[in-house]
């Protein structure tokens, strides 16, 4: 997605790191760059708003359930492997049934 206009921070960079922005898992300087981008780019602002709404809905509907410790460990292990580059995000996690 891109609005077709040039920006200091490219739309693809913003969308690739949108969840890091939503979760405040990036440096403040990067958050500021993203905020400036959202002021300039309505398609990215719309995508941000949609993802923010989904995140709030999931938290409201599922945020009170306890997660089994083995599932949490598997998910966190998968995240670590993806971040380290050892596996790609779309590979299956052993031991989890996919429907």
């Amino acid at each position: 997605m891109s609005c077709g206009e040039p920006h200091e921070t490219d739309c693809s960079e913003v969308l690739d790191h949108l969840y890091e922005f939503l979760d405040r898992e990036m440096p403040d300087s990067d958050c500021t760059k993203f905020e400036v981008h959202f002021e300039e780019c309505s398609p990215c602002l719309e995508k941000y708003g949609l993802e923010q709404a989904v995140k709030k809905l999931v938290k409201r509907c599922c945020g009170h359930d306890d997660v089994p410790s083995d599932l949490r460990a598997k998910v966190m292990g998968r995240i670590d492997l993806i971040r380290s580059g050892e596996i790609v995000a779309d590979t299956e996690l052993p031991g989890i049934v996919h429907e």
Side-chain angles (χ1 to χ4, degrees):
M1 172 194 307
S2 175
C3 65
E5 300 293 326
H7 300 285
E8 184 176 326
T9 306
D10 190 63
C11 294
S12 62
E13 179 183 350
V14 170
L15 297 176
D16 286 347
H17 299 280
L18 186 56
Y19 287 102
E20 292 170 60
F21 176 79
L22 281 166
D23 295 336
R24 295 294 189 201
E25 294 177 342
M26 59 176 29
D28 289 342
S29 60
D30 289 341
C31 287
T32 301
K33 286 186 346 184
F34 279 40
E35 290 164 354
V36 168
H37 183 90
F38 293 134
E39 290 175 8
E40 301 172 346
C41 183
S42 59
C44 287
L45 178 62
E46 185 176 333
K47 178 71 173 168
Y48 164 71
L50 175 64
E51 295 300 331
Q52 186 179 41
V54 168
K55 183 177 170 117
K56 286 180 181 179
L57 178 64
V58 168
K59 182 177 181 177
R60 188 179 78 224
C61 294
C62 305
H64 305 289
D65 297 337
D66 290 331
V67 177
S69 59
D70 62 329
L71 176 60
R72 180 181 296 278
K74 287 179 183 178
V75 170
M76 295 307 295
R78 172 78 182 260
I79 290 170
D80 289 341
L81 289 173
I82 292 169
R83 285 183 176 162
S84 71
E86 292 181 42
I87 63 170
V88 292
D90 62 345
T91 59
E92 293 185 12
L93 185 62
I96 294 183
V97 177
H98 299 275
E99 295 181 23

